[in-house]
Amino acid sequence: MIIPVPEQSVEAPVNSPVDFLLNGRVRLLQPEGGYRAAIDPVFLAAITAAGDGERVLDVGTGTGAAALCLAVRVPGAAVVGLEQRADACAFARRNAALSGVAERVTVVEGDLLAPPDALGSAGFDRVMMNPPYLKAGAASVPPDGWKAAANVEGAAQLADWVRFAGCMLKPRGTLTMVHRADRIEDILHALRGRFGSLVLVPLWPKPGVEAKRLLLVARKGGRAPARLTAGLTVHKAEGGYSPEAERVLRDAEALAF
């Protein structure tokens, strides 16, 4: 089911720079000089194992990168993006149209700390998220509002994001997340008591280099033992993406662990 939302007055500038993901299958207008989505949301979408007929919520969708990558890869899934910034919502809606998936991607403006009524509760099969990587007060807040919202936690901290995911998911629903590897203690603390059956997927920048990012999959109410996988190496030692990363970033292949 697609959630109807009223028309918004904010429009994405038509002359904004366009970036391409999944070998051009996803087109992203993004704010010039502001935060720009890179490869993290592509990996997030790849590890979100949605199936036909499932409903997926992308929390903090921004300009829509992860939501659109998932919608392109899984034509039978319906994706809802929740975003607090009205200007980001405008970009995400326009990007959904440019990428040819507007009929299956709905963008809802709202705050996860005060969820809009349109979302309902416990109605999603999967929730995916790319929360701000830095703790509030632990880093300088960028002057650019886009970068500040994307990089540094605001009123909603990591535990709030995870708690919200639990409220939005059906029983036994699945949470997927991309985050910094050095926030693993905070992540595990936030998941405790709500999620189990945890799978951690380190993203190694190149062979022999410690992971800076990780992907995780957790099930609401899951009881299976946690697993730490071999992960994925993003770049070859001599430069360029690894064959495994190429299959995700260019060929829209799913990540299965």
Side-chain angles (χ1 to χ4, degrees):
M1 180 182 70
I2 297 294
I3 299 173
V5 294
E7 290 294 325
Q8 302 291 325
S9 59
V10 179
E11 294 185 358
V14 295
N15 59 345
S16 300
V18 181
D19 294 306
F20 298 91
L21 302 175
L22 300 185
N23 205 27
R25 295 169 68 186
V26 171
R27 300 180 63 189
L28 280 183
L29 287 168
Q30 302 197 83
E32 189 168 9
Y35 173 79
R36 305 180 75 77
I39 62 175
D40 288 358
V42 186
F43 282 118
L44 173 61
I47 205 167
T48 303
D52 289 345
E54 289 193 341
R55 298 181 66 231
V56 182
L57 176 63
D58 179 25
V59 185
T61 197
T63 57
L68 300 181
C69 286
L70 181 64
V72 163
R73 183 172 63 79
V74 187
V79 186
V80 177
L82 177 67
E83 173 55 46
Q84 187 174 16
R85 293 178 60 97
D87 49 0
C89 288
F91 274 94
R93 293 186 183 108
R94 184 166 180 81
N95 290 335
L98 288 173
S99 301
V101 293
E103 74 284 358
R104 291 186 295 108
V105 176
T106 302
V107 180
V108 177
E109 183 182 339
D111 187 342
L112 66 88
L113 294 177
D117 293 339
L119 290 182
S121 62
F124 290 91
D125 300 284
R126 300 177 188 274
V127 171
M128 60 181 182
M129 57 177 61
N130 181 182
Y133 287 152
L134 302 174
K135 287 184 178 181
S140 299
V141 178
D144 178 80
W146 284 81
K147 292 180 179 179
N151 294 329
V152 184
E153 292 175 354
Q157 300 182 20
L158 180 58
D160 298 311
W161 286 68
V162 173
R163 188 180 303 110
F164 175 68
C167 293
M168 292 293 105
L169 282 167
K170 297 177 180 178
R172 308 289 294 173
T174 302
L175 167 66
T176 49
M177 183 191 304
V178 59
H179 216 298
R180 283 171 58 121
D182 61 8
R183 295 288 307 273
I184 184 62
E185 290 185 63
D186 297 325
I187 294 169
L188 294 178
H189 181 74
L191 293 172
R192 190 170 295 120
R194 299 185 181 91
F195 291 88
S197 306
L198 177 65
V199 180
L200 292 170
V201 183
L203 295 177
W204 314 107
K206 60 175 60 176
V209 179
E210 68 180 43
K212 298 294 194 299
R213 298 280 188 273
L214 60 81
L215 300 165
L216 69 87
V217 182
R219 187 175 298 278
K220 182 178 178 179
R223 297 180 179 271
R227 292 195 299 120
L228 177 62
T229 73
L232 181 144
T233 302
V234 179
H235 296 96
K236 297 178 290 188
E238 65 273 21
Y241 289 120
S242 69
E244 296 80 11
E246 286 273 5
R247 289 195 289 270
V248 172
L249 298 174
R250 303 196 190 284
D251 300 336
E253 187 171 294
L255 274 174
F257 288 93

